[in-house]
């Protein structure tokens, strides 16, 4: 073989190696871009679907670590799962029976002294008379004296073995009636907990997009399972998300109004649904409705310090007598019109939440005649409400909270935001007070939505206290409501879970608590919008905190 031929072959091999090397380099560069694009797509898909499955059990591709908020949500849900474990349910006869259960007063006496504690041992049995071996029944204890317009909640301790200790503090003298209601058996509570966290579609959202004189409605929601183009309304900081089907020929920014309807869907079986028939909800367990006599016994009362933010009310935190709410953990002053006027002078008050707080802004002008509504040229009962007293430099404002807000009425989304964002807009000072309540509209949705919002509100309050530690912040818990309203969507079992979560999340924050759950049980209102005398006493508690 000639030297020229050998040289040509070596040159050909060298060129081939260079081409192969160049191709490998190009492929590797493109693969890196492709993988980056794929990874970004996966991350966006995870964010868009995080509300559907916040903590997926398996993942083919590693996702970013859970945030502090997600870890806290996971911790709270795991704690609740332990408190409400799945219960066996084979037949209605094996569920808790109010008729067969027995309630026994421990250490009974002919008469009791005001201030004494009365304890009742409850042993629950099923409809066959068999003693139950586990707890979890949703119970409500209350004592009352209708002639005195007096009432108070009782405290229930679950031993998780079919027995409960029900304790009443005897706050007033006279003849007192005791009541213990079986709202739901443990099997029903377990079913409601499972059904709640199973789907986001119990409510249908319809968004109205407006462009000039034309408008169109499309389906919206906290999640949407659709291959169609979506409008995404995301709050990246607090990881809040809402979606709408994008209408043709209109931008996503054209979303202007919203309304909701109940979807005909249930995650309960027919057998489970039978536990929530009207006759089976709120059944009295004290068969003879025991009455006891309470006398004064000349016991002296301990004088508590003035009510102030940072105090955490016990359960019960007070009682009603002659229709007035009387706190037991602080010295509450009953304010008349003159004192209320003085208290409100120079105050900026922001009421953020649902219609149970909107009742407050309707009540204030009934007591303080100088407060007048200012017309902001908005429409509907869910518009922003503003009360002004220019001479006393007083302003009171109510705004609804953002999604999930559930109502048949069409409401405006203009000037509509999440409570944490509303708090972030307030500079705050010693004459600024904020009252926050939410929960009723969250009941039809999986619990992670509520927990996320509560954590977001807490973080916003912490930011507020950094720039203005003298601002007063008050948390009002949910009212109890009608017992027989659609239990799967709106029942008080869901509200009680919210109540426990709020206590946990806000327990070490320097805020005032208006325990409306405790108050409305004491008043025995059983309506989402209690009457004026209850609202007036909630407001009196608020004014004691800020003045």
């Amino acid at each position: 073989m000639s030297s020229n031929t050998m040289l040509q072959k070596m040159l050909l091999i060298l060129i081939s190696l260079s081409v192969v090397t160049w191709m490998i380099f190009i492929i590797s560069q493109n693969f890196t871009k492709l993988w980056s694009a794929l990874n970004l797509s996966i991350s966006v898909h995870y964010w868009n679907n995080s509300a559907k499955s916040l903590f997926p059990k398996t993942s083919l591709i590693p996702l970013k670590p859970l945030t502090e908020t997600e870890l806290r949500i996971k911790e709270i849900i795991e704690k609740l799962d332990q408190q409400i474990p799945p219960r066996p349910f084979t037949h209605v006869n094996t569920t808790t029976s109010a008729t067969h259960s027995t309630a026994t007063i421990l250490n009974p006496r002919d008469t009791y002294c005001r201030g004494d504690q009365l304890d009742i041992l409850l042993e629950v049995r099923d409809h066959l008379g068999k003693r139950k071996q586990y707890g979890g029944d949703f119970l409500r204890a209350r004592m009352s004296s209708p002639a005195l317009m007096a009432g108070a909640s009782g405290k229930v301790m679950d031993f998780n073995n079919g027995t409960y200790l029900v304790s009443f503090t005897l706050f007033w003298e006279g003849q007192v009636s005791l009541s213990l209601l079986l709202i739901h058996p443990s099997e029903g509570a377990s079913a409601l907990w499972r059904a709640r966290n199973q789907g986001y579609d119990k409510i249908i959202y319809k968004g109205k997009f407006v462009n000039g004189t034309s408008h169109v409605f499309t389906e919206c929601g906290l999640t949407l399972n659709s291959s169609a183009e979506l409008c995404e309304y995301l709050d990246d900081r607090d990881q809040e998300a809402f979606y709408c089907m994008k209408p043709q020929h209109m931008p996503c920014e054209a979303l202007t109004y919203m309304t909701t309807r109940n979807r005909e869907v249930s995650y309960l079986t027919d057998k489970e649904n039978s536990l929530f028939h009207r006759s089976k909800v709120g059944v009295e367990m004290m068969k003879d409705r025991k009455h006891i006599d309470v006398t004064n016994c000349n016991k002296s009362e301990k004088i508590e310090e003035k009510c102030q933010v940072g105090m955490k009310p016990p359960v019960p935190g007070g009682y009603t007598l002659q229709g007035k709410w009387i706190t037991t953990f602080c010295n509450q002053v009953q304010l008349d019109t003159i004192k209320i006027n003085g208290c409100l002078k120079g105050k900026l008050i922001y009421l953020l939440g649902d219609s149970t707080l909107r009742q407050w802004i309707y009540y204030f002008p009934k007591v303080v005649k100088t407060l007048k509504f200012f017309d902001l040229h908005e429409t509907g009962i869910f518009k922003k409400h503003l009360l002004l007293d220019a001479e006393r430099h007083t302003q009171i404002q109510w705004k609804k909270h953002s999604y999930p807000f559930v109502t048949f009425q069409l409401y405006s989304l203009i000037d509509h935001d999440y409570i944490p964002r509303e708090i972030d807009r307030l500079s705050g000072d010693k004459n600024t007070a904020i009252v926050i309540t939410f929960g009723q509209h969250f009941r039809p949705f999986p619990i992670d939505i509520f927990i996320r919002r509560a954590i977001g509100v807490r973080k916003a309050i912490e930011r507020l206290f950094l720039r203005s530690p003298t601002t007063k912040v008050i948390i009002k818990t949910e009212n109890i409501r009608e017992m027989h309203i659609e239990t799967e969507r709106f029942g008080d079992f869901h509200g009680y879970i919210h109540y426990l979560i709020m206590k946990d999340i806000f327990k070490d924050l320097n805020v005032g608590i208006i325990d409306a759950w405790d108050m409305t049980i004491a008043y025995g209102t059983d309506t989402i919008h209690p009457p004026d005398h209850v609202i007036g006493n909630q407001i009196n508690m608020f004014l004691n905190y800020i003045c």
Side-chain angles (χ1 to χ4, degrees):
M1 185 180 292
S2 68
S3 60
N4 285 340
T5 303
M6 180 67 71
L7 187 61
Q8 288 174 354
K9 284 187 175 183
M10 290 179 67
L11 187 59
L12 184 60
I13 291 169
L14 186 61
I15 290 170
S16 299
L17 286 171
S18 298
V19 170
V20 170
T21 303
W22 176 78
M23 289 177 68
I24 290 171
F25 174 77
I26 293 299
I27 290 170
S28 67
Q29 291 295 305
N30 287 336
F31 181 77
T32 301
K33 292 178 182 177
L34 177 63
W35 174 252
S36 298
L38 178 62
N39 201 30
L40 176 62
S41 174
I42 290 167
S43 298
V44 171
H45 178 78
Y46 172 70
W47 163 239
N48 289 344
N49 290 279
S50 62
K52 301 174 194 172
S53 180
L54 185 59
F55 311 111
K57 293 180 181 177
T58 59
S59 178
L60 297 177
I61 299 171
L63 299 172
K64 59 184 180 181
L66 295 178
T67 65
E68 177 189 350
T69 295
E70 288 165 344
L71 288 170
R72 182 75 170 112
I73 293 171
K74 187 171 185 289
E75 174 195 341
I76 293 173
I77 290 176
E78 286 175 348
K79 191 187 300 183
L80 290 169
D81 282 338
Q82 291 176 356
Q83 286 183 255
I84 321 165
R87 293 301 184 196
F89 180 31
T90 54
H91 193 276
V92 69
N93 283 341
T94 63
T95 64
T96 306
S97 164
T99 303
H100 290 85
S101 300
T102 57
T104 306
I105 294 179
L106 301 178
N107 303 316
R109 299 200 294 261
D110 292 335
T111 59
Y112 295 83
C113 293
R114 183 165 60 91
D116 285 351
Q117 179 170 302
L118 183 146
D119 293 323
I120 293 174
L121 180 66
L122 174 68
E123 296 179 289
V124 295
R125 290 179 167 78
D126 63 23
H127 290 264
L128 301 175
K130 184 179 178 182
R131 168 77 180 278
K132 295 192 71 174
Q133 301 301 313
Y134 51 84
D137 298 293
F138 184 39
L139 307 171
R140 180 173 298 165
R142 179 175 182 260
M143 65 179 194
S144 63
S145 296
L148 299 173
M149 291 186 290
S153 67
K155 189 173 183 179
V156 179
M157 181 184 294
D158 186 351
F159 294 115
N160 294 308
N161 62 359
T163 63
Y164 300 80
L165 182 66
V166 184
S167 301
F168 295 98
T169 302
L170 306 177
F171 292 114
W172 63 88
E173 53 187 297
Q175 190 176 73
V176 176
S177 301
L178 305 177
S179 171
L180 181 60
L181 300 181
L182 175 64
I183 308 294
H184 305 306
S186 52
E187 295 80 8
S190 175
L192 287 173
W193 178 240
R194 188 205 73 247
R196 173 171 186 169
N197 294 304
Q198 207 161 324
Y200 293 79
D201 55 350
K202 298 184 186 79
I203 302 293
I204 303 170
Y205 281 88
K206 290 290 184 181
K208 183 179 180 181
F209 289 76
V210 178
N211 189 354
T213 58
S214 62
H215 70 267
V216 62
F217 283 89
T218 73
E219 185 169 347
C220 304
L222 297 166
T223 63
L224 283 179
N225 292 319
S226 173
S227 58
E229 186 178 359
L230 298 180
C231 289
E232 299 177 340
Y233 306 97
L234 308 179
D235 184 323
D236 293 322
R237 185 194 66 190
D238 295 330
Q239 293 181 294
E240 299 276 13
F242 194 79
Y243 305 90
C244 287
M245 305 278 285
K246 188 180 185 306
Q248 290 184 344
H249 315 304
M250 280 198 191
C252 292
E253 292 76 13
L255 179 61
T256 308
Y257 298 97
M258 190 66 64
T259 184
T260 67
R261 295 290 183 273
N262 294 340
R263 192 189 296 271
E264 292 301 319
V265 62
S266 173
Y267 293 99
L268 298 171
T269 66
D270 290 341
K271 188 187 298 182
E272 288 169 339
N273 262 312
S274 70
L275 297 176
F276 307 111
H277 291 166
R278 192 177 187 91
S279 62
K280 296 179 181 177
V281 176
V283 183
E284 183 60 59
M285 303 189 83
M286 309 269 292
K287 284 83 169 177
D288 53 0
R289 294 298 299 269
K290 293 180 173 59
H291 295 79
I292 60 167
D293 293 313
V294 182
T295 59
N296 190 10
C297 300
N298 296 318
K299 283 195 172 183
S300 59
E301 290 188 8
K302 180 183 176 183
I303 299 176
E304 304 287 348
E305 61 179 316
K306 178 189 178 298
C307 300
Q308 52 191 313
V309 295
M311 291 180 168
K312 296 300 178 279
V315 176
Y319 59 98
T320 71
L321 185 62
Q322 300 302 334
K324 297 291 186 183
W325 177 255
I326 301 170
T327 58
T328 57
F329 64 96
C330 62
N331 185 13
Q332 177 191 3
V333 179
Q334 296 294 334
L335 302 175
D336 57 23
T337 301
I338 295 174
K339 289 179 180 176
I340 292 173
N341 270 311
C343 174
L344 291 178
K345 187 176 181 180
K347 294 291 192 297
L348 301 178
I349 297 172
Y350 298 89
L351 310 176
L352 304 175
D354 56 33
S355 58
T356 67
L357 207 50
R358 190 187 66 224
Q359 286 185 275
W360 284 30
I361 207 163
Y362 291 159
Y363 183 88
F364 272 112
K366 297 176 182 179
V367 180
V368 182
K369 303 299 183 182
T370 55
L371 282 169
K372 304 295 181 184
F373 280 106
F374 186 83
D375 186 1
L376 295 169
H377 295 205
E378 297 181 21
T379 59
I381 62 173
F382 297 116
K383 66 185 178 183
K384 180 165 69 176
H385 290 60
L386 182 63
L387 283 173
L388 293 176
D389 181 342
E391 286 189 14
R392 290 184 173 85
H393 303 284
T394 301
Q395 172 188 301
I396 304 175
Q397 174 186 292
W398 174 83
K399 284 187 74 174
K400 66 182 179 302
H401 66 69
S402 189
Y403 314 115
F405 198 82
V406 179
T407 175
F408 291 152
Q409 299 194 42
L410 197 68
Y411 61 90
S412 172
L413 298 178
I414 306 304
D415 195 19
H416 172 91
D417 215 337
Y418 296 110
I419 289 177
R421 295 290 180 180
E422 297 286 358
I423 296 172
D424 286 341
R425 295 190 185 101
L426 303 177
S427 56
D429 61 23
K430 65 179 182 179
N431 287 317
T432 299
I434 304 169
V435 187
I436 300 163
T437 193
F438 58 97
Q440 295 281 355
H441 294 256
F442 288 73
R443 293 185 181 192
F445 302 99
I447 199 66
D448 65 286
I449 300 294
F450 178 80
I451 301 172
R452 184 182 300 279
R453 187 67 49 81
I455 292 172
V457 168
R458 181 195 165 99
K459 288 182 176 181
I461 294 171
E462 290 172 339
R463 291 191 292 271
L464 172 65
F465 285 162
L466 285 175
R467 62 184 181 270
S468 176
T470 58
T471 301
K472 300 290 197 306
V473 179
I474 315 298
I475 304 294
K476 183 186 91 66
T477 65
E478 292 173 50
N479 304 332
I480 63 169
R481 64 178 303 170
E482 301 81 359
M483 281 190 203
H484 305 102
I485 195 148
E486 301 175 83
T487 306
E488 185 177 355
R489 285 187 180 90
F490 298 110
D492 270 346
F493 172 76
H494 303 311
Y496 183 65
I497 299 302
H498 292 171
Y499 180 67
L500 297 178
I501 291 169
M502 294 289 275
K503 283 194 164 192
D504 187 7
I505 289 176
F506 293 97
K507 63 187 173 186
D508 56 352
L509 205 57
N510 189 36
V511 298
I513 302 294
I514 295 177
D515 194 338
W517 188 269
D518 186 29
M519 290 177 72
T520 49
I521 289 176
Y523 278 105
T525 51
D526 292 331
T527 174
I528 188 173
H529 296 120
D532 270 1
H533 68 276
V534 178
I535 300 303
N537 279 279
Q538 291 178 354
I539 290 174
N540 189 80
M541 188 75 209
F542 160 66
L543 296 175
N544 268 260
Y545 278 135
I546 70 169
C547 298

